Amino acid sequence: MGRILEIFKKILTDVLTSVYEPFWFAVILAVLFMAVWNSAHKSGWKEIFLEWVTNFRRDQAFRRTFFCVLYTALILFRTLLNRTIWENPLSDVLGNWQIFQDNGEFNAEPMENVLLFIPFIILLFWAERENLLGKKKGFVAVVGRSVGIGVCFSLGIESAQLLLRLGTFQLSDICYNTAGALSGGVIYWAGNKVIESIREWKRMKEEEENSDSWF
């Protein structure tokens, strides 16, 4: 009898775990699907698909937002949605700070956390520059906003891991993610300055060519 109860307990635990781990992803997917379904119910699936393709081809803002959302979803899958249950999410609050372990082996996790947020900030500013920065294009404004976004987004992920027991709450992850966000802000600012310089050079060259055409 005891053996049967152990088997039943293991089966029940595995079933509940397999349901709990992807639960929030399933909720998000269901909500998004029903939103599309409501539109398709009114306009038709073919029209919805053609409209999406047309917007992607012609609307630059649509493409920018799509790539930003896509990368954000990848981050959430890696850090939150595709995680296993942890018995104690506070088992390692300080986290892993060492780039090289005690045995001399390279620890890639800190660098991964930094690199993870660099494209996120670049894509976010690329898609929502006017809403996030407005007319502020200075170095301090861009970097300051990058750090603020990095802290808030990383803290939100870590807090969700703690509340949902899908991972461990680690201060090191927040710091490394914020460092990645800062780096992304610097890269975005530098790239934007280069692009503006190239545009200014092209404008001045066109003005010189137009002025020479009068002679």
Side-chain angles (χ1 to χ4, degrees):
M1 186 65 180
R3 179 64 175 173
I4 296 176
L5 289 176
E6 286 294 328
I7 294 174
F8 177 77
K9 179 181 177 181
K10 186 177 185 307
I11 294 174
L12 182 61
T13 301
D14 291 343
V15 170
L16 292 177
T17 301
S18 63
V19 171
Y20 178 80
E21 288 178 350
F23 176 77
W24 292 107
F25 166 71
V27 170
I28 295 173
L29 183 62
V31 171
L32 294 176
F33 176 80
M34 291 309 299
V36 175
W37 185 87
N38 284 333
S39 298
H41 185 69
K42 299 176 182 178
S43 304
W45 289 99
K46 182 179 179 180
E47 286 73 14
I48 293 295
F49 176 76
L50 292 176
E51 182 181 0
W52 192 96
V53 173
T54 301
N55 289 334
F56 187 84
R57 291 177 57 188
R58 298 180 179 178
D59 191 346
Q60 187 181 53
F62 184 89
R63 290 196 299 272
R64 292 181 176 183
T65 303
F66 169 76
F67 288 120
C68 181
V69 172
L70 176 63
Y71 191 80
T72 303
L74 293 175
I75 291 179
L76 293 178
F77 264 102
R78 184 185 184 279
T79 60
L80 186 62
L81 298 176
N82 192 28
R83 301 295 295 271
T84 57
I85 297 176
W86 289 71
E87 294 183 1
N88 183 12
L90 294 175
S91 59
D92 189 16
V93 176
L94 293 180
N96 189 1
W97 296 88
Q98 297 179 343
I99 297 179
F100 290 94
Q101 299 177 355
D102 295 335
N103 57 6
E105 293 184 359
F106 178 72
N107 181 21
E109 184 177 351
M111 295 304 299
E112 290 175 356
N113 286 327
V114 172
L115 295 175
L116 189 67
F117 268 56
I118 293 177
F120 169 70
I121 289 296
I122 295 174
L123 289 172
L124 185 62
F125 283 156
W126 188 50
E128 298 293 335
R129 174 179 175 178
E130 296 299 327
N131 293 330
L132 295 176
L133 298 175
K135 297 182 179 180
K136 298 179 180 179
K137 302 179 182 179
F139 179 81
V140 175
V142 173
V143 171
R145 186 57 58 89
S146 301
V147 172
I149 293 173
V151 171
C152 292
F153 190 54
S154 181
L155 182 60
I157 292 175
E158 295 297 316
S159 299
Q161 289 179 348
L162 176 63
L163 295 175
L164 301 176
R165 305 179 71 88
L166 297 175
T168 57
F169 183 94
Q170 294 183 335
L171 295 177
S172 61
D173 286 353
I174 298 176
C175 291
Y176 282 123
N177 289 155
T178 304
L182 187 151
S183 301
V186 172
I187 294 173
Y188 174 83
W189 175 83
N192 195 50
K193 294 293 289 185
V194 171
I195 293 174
E196 289 182 352
S197 299
I198 293 175
R199 289 175 178 173
E200 181 65 19
W201 176 78
K202 288 183 177 180
R203 186 187 64 81
M204 293 177 63
K205 187 175 181 180
E206 290 177 355
E207 289 180 354
E208 291 178 358
E209 292 177 352
N210 293 331
S211 61
D212 293 339
S213 64
W214 288 93
F215 296 96

